[in-house]
Amino acid sequence: MQEKPPRRFVREITFFAIALAVVAFDQISKFLVRTNLTIGQVMPEQGFFRITYVTNTGGVFGLFANQAFLISLVAVAGIATILVLAWYAPLNKTPVRVCLALLLGGTVGNLIDRLALGSVVDFIDIGVGQYRWPTFNVADPVITVSVIILVYYLLFRFGKDESVERGSG
């Protein structure tokens, strides 16, 4: 009879598998854009949703342009923080761990671009005319949504889930 792997081991493998899946999807999508479009090219030319190949030397929405070293340093510190938080016992809840894994994957995906290319590849272009969202990549909404869910959980759920599990509330 084969023994089951320890629960902690399965949780860690799942955590890194989620992060790796985000990195892979992010990097493959950026590779496809880089190899099939030229910078500035838009497909289709009209419409609400377009693929537009641009590069971003700054952070989110182009803030801190041409500060790749500083942004990379912040990303590395963020990755270290995510890894520490992932092992912090009170945060060892499935929603938190999934958000941290998504956040790790998105951060690593954008950091790979910064280190390898000197800028981040953005290509998802949504909107019409002057009502357009800034162009972004796969990692950006993953990071944004995971941070929103994580903040919500820490503000409104943290501590409550434990009392429900113990049957006291």
Side-chain angles (χ1 to χ4, degrees):
M1 190 158 128
Q2 191 175 10
E3 275 187 51
K4 284 186 181 179
R7 185 172 164 90
R8 173 110 180 154
F9 176 77
V10 172
R11 290 176 67 89
E12 301 311 326
I13 292 297
T14 303
F15 176 82
F16 287 109
I18 291 169
L20 184 60
V22 171
V23 172
F25 188 55
D26 178 64
Q27 288 298 303
I28 289 168
S29 65
K30 291 172 180 176
F31 173 78
L32 290 172
V33 167
R34 283 193 322 268
T35 57
N36 292 295
L37 299 174
T38 59
I39 293 179
Q41 188 175 354
V42 181
M43 288 181 50
E45 301 255 343
Q46 301 289 322
F48 179 76
F49 178 84
R50 293 166 308 284
I51 302 296
T52 303
Y53 179 12
V54 297
T55 58
N56 179 1
T57 61
V60 65
F61 303 126
L63 296 174
F64 308 108
N66 300 313
Q67 298 295 320
F69 179 76
L70 176 64
I71 295 169
S72 296
L73 211 57
V74 170
V76 169
I79 289 167
T81 302
I82 292 164
L83 292 173
V84 168
L85 290 174
W87 275 268
Y88 182 60
L91 296 178
N92 207 5
K93 300 289 176 205
T94 300
V96 173
R97 289 186 62 78
V98 169
C99 286
L100 290 173
L102 292 170
L103 190 55
L104 177 64
T107 304
V108 168
N110 280 340
L111 182 60
I112 289 170
D113 278 18
R114 277 187 213 296
L115 296 177
L117 307 171
S119 62
V120 174
V121 172
D122 287 334
F123 58 91
I124 302 170
D125 189 359
I126 297 173
V128 177
Q130 66 183 17
Y131 303 105
R132 293 170 73 175
W133 194 258
T135 307
F136 56 95
N137 60 50
V138 170
D140 296 339
V142 169
I143 292 169
T144 302
V145 170
S146 62
V147 167
I148 290 168
I149 294 170
L150 189 58
V151 167
Y152 169 81
Y153 184 84
L154 293 175
L155 289 176
F156 300 108
R157 299 296 314 155
F158 187 67
K160 293 180 181 176
D161 290 343
E162 288 81 6
S163 62
V164 171
E165 288 174 7
R166 290 186 202 118
S168 62

